[in-house]
Amino acid sequence: MELELFTALVLPLLFSIAAGIYGFRRFPERRPTLLLNLICFQFVGAFALRTEPSIQLLSVMALHVLCVGILLAKHVQSPELVPVHVKR
């Protein structure tokens, strides 16, 4: 059973890492929402890991935690974007 849960979650978690990095770099104004969605993926993976523990799922979750942690740290360190209005 644990292999079925791993195969069901590995692609969504890897996709969320790739889409999270792309969205973080490409759309700075959407970073808070993006990071909240990535944290929600963390909760889903943590629930799956709690119900059916496996070393493979733990390794994918560790990679996801590392990526989300780095993105959160970069977001906290980056200055806030202020909209600029140009007069014509």
Side-chain angles (χ1 to χ4, degrees), residues 57-76:
L57 187 57
L58 179 64
S59 62
V60 173
M61 285 298 298
L63 177 67
H64 199 273
V65 166
L66 180 69
C67 291
V68 171
I70 290 171
L71 292 177
L72 277 169
K74 288 184 71 75
H75 176 67
V76 169

Side-chain angles (χ1 to χ4, degrees), residues 1-48:
M1 182 68 181
E2 67 184 33
L3 187 60
E4 292 174 6
L5 191 58
F6 171 73
T7 56
L9 284 176
V10 69
L11 287 178
L13 286 173
L14 292 177
F15 176 76
S16 74
I17 291 171
I21 292 172
Y22 173 76
F24 188 85
R25 294 187 56 126
R26 177 75 189 212
F27 307 109
E29 68 278 355
R30 297 183 192 170
R31 285 181 182 173
T33 307
L34 175 80
L35 291 171
L36 183 64
N37 286 327
L38 289 176
I39 292 171
C40 288
F41 271 101
Q42 283 294 124
F43 286 134
V44 170
F47 178 74

Side-chain angles (χ1 to χ4, degrees), residues 74-85:
K74 288 184 71 75
H75 176 67
V76 169
Q77 292 175 354
S78 65
E80 186 176 338
L81 295 174
V82 178
V84 177
H85 298 286

